[in-house]
Amino acid sequence: MVTAAPEKTIKPPLKWAGGKRWLVSHLAPIWQRHATRRYVEPFCGGLAVALGLQPKRALLNDVNPHLINFYRHLQSGLTLRLEMRYEEELFYRHRTRFNELIKNGGAQRGEAAELFYYLNRTCFNGLCRFNKSGEFNVPFGTFSTVNYDPDFSHYPSVLRDWTFTNVDVQKVAIKRGDFVYADPPYDVEFTTYSSGGFSWDDQVRAAEFLAKHDGPVVISNQATPRIVELYERLGFELSYLDGPRRISCTGDRTAAREVLAVKE
């Protein structure tokens, strides 16, 4: 029996550059044909699609360990005890403390999850960027005001049967028959989200790995000529969408043409 679409989607807790909340309405009809399956995202990012579709069972992965640490604490009942104000001096004090935790092996603590949330809400454009030493280095934001959610109590029940992992795409524990939605980093220069970056070779490697999956697969990406050629070569059925204006570290908000690649 196919479950109905969620009556009310839950807002993602983080600001996320390139978030796919706008794409949920396009993905929902595809997901509804397979909603009894386990839902898998190898690049879960801001969690907008998973929270929009609300699968009962899910495996959600991302290479950013600080993001996954935040979700795991959110799942178990994160309480914000940290001082949270939109203030530059406080921002840099919290950023320094977050980087101290990273350096000293405390990046999996609840304190690190709280700091990650604060930095995400407060920093420039909600970007998530790290330097070569692994330190968070996004500057203070340019917002007029910032709202901090004081209550995360509604998340644990939704995330209860979801598993969060922090591995490379080819190590994600996808099982036969899983429904896979993948939103890899756009086919643009992308080097600071996590150590190692995400190159064109990684784009090809991820696409070829997912194309071999014995189950439905949907991939979204920027519709660059080589991405289109790659997905066509791998046998995906392509459709095109006009995505919202993207966020970049340069402030460029040019609308991006999106491709949706589907294999069912």
Side-chain angles (χ1 to χ4, degrees):
M1 179 178 178
V2 176
T3 58
E7 294 181 3
K8 183 180 180 181
T9 59
I10 297 177
K11 187 177 180 180
L14 302 172
K15 294 180 180 179
W16 208 252
K20 291 299 185 292
R21 196 177 183 191
W22 67 273
L23 195 57
V24 171
S25 62
H26 299 279
L27 294 170
I30 306 172
W31 163 244
Q32 289 308 310
R33 295 196 289 271
H34 304 283
T36 56
R37 301 175 187 260
R38 185 177 69 155
Y39 175 89
V40 178
E41 266 196 73
F43 308 92
C44 68
L47 222 61
V49 172
L51 287 173
L53 298 177
Q54 291 184 35
K56 179 172 177 53
R57 297 176 298 127
L59 171 60
L60 303 162
N61 178 77
D62 201 277
V63 292
N64 186 326
H66 311 293
L67 179 69
I68 295 302
N69 181 61
F70 172 75
Y71 290 148
R72 285 172 175 165
H73 283 280
L74 192 69
Q75 184 180 41
S76 61
L78 180 64
T79 300
L80 298 180
R81 301 179 181 88
L82 196 71
E83 184 178 7
M84 296 202 178
R85 296 191 315 274
Y86 185 54
E87 179 184 290
E88 188 168 4
E89 181 181 353
L90 181 65
F91 172 81
Y92 286 108
R93 190 159 70 241
H94 282 341
R95 194 179 78 169
T96 297
R97 175 57 181 163
F98 182 63
N99 287 330
E100 286 175 352
L101 288 173
I102 293 173
K103 182 179 179 180
N104 298 322
Q108 294 184 351
R109 296 180 187 173
E111 181 188 1
E114 291 182 59
L115 286 164
F116 183 80
Y117 173 76
Y118 172 82
L119 294 173
N120 170 266
R121 301 295 297 183
T122 314
C123 74
F124 180 75
N125 274 347
L127 294 173
C128 190
R129 187 181 66 197
F130 296 83
N131 62 24
K132 292 181 180 179
S133 299
E135 297 176 325
F136 186 85
N137 66 351
V138 184
F140 184 65
T142 56
F143 310 106
S144 56
T145 59
V146 173
N147 294 320
Y148 303 99
D149 192 342
D151 181 16
F152 289 143
S153 62
H154 52 294
Y155 286 101
S157 61
V158 177
L159 277 56
R160 182 182 58 195
D161 295 321
W162 295 5
T163 300
F164 292 94
T165 60
N166 169 226
V167 296
D168 178 79
V169 58
Q170 286 185 279
K171 294 182 179 179
V172 177
I174 302 173
K175 297 179 180 178
R176 181 178 181 180
D178 283 342
F179 178 94
V180 180
Y181 166 63
D183 182 46
Y186 273 175
D187 180 26
V188 293
E189 185 178 354
F190 190 83
T191 59
T192 53
Y193 176 68
S194 64
S195 61
F198 200 83
S199 65
W200 173 247
D201 286 343
D202 292 321
Q203 290 278 5
V204 174
R205 182 171 62 89
E208 290 180 343
F209 170 71
L210 295 171
K212 295 175 183 177
H213 173 55
D214 185 5
V217 178
V218 181
I219 309 177
S220 56
N221 208 322
Q222 188 173 9
T224 62
R226 63 182 183 175
I227 282 290
V228 170
E229 182 181 0
L230 172 65
Y231 293 167
E232 285 181 337
R233 173 173 67 80
L234 293 173
F236 287 90
E237 181 179 338
L238 308 188
S239 58
Y240 299 90
L241 302 165
D242 285 322
R245 293 180 181 274
R246 61 183 173 86
I247 297 175
S248 78
C249 59
T250 63
D252 176 15
R253 292 172 180 262
T254 305
R257 183 74 164 163
E258 300 264 339
V259 61
L260 204 60
V262 180
K263 286 185 77 172
E264 293 186 79

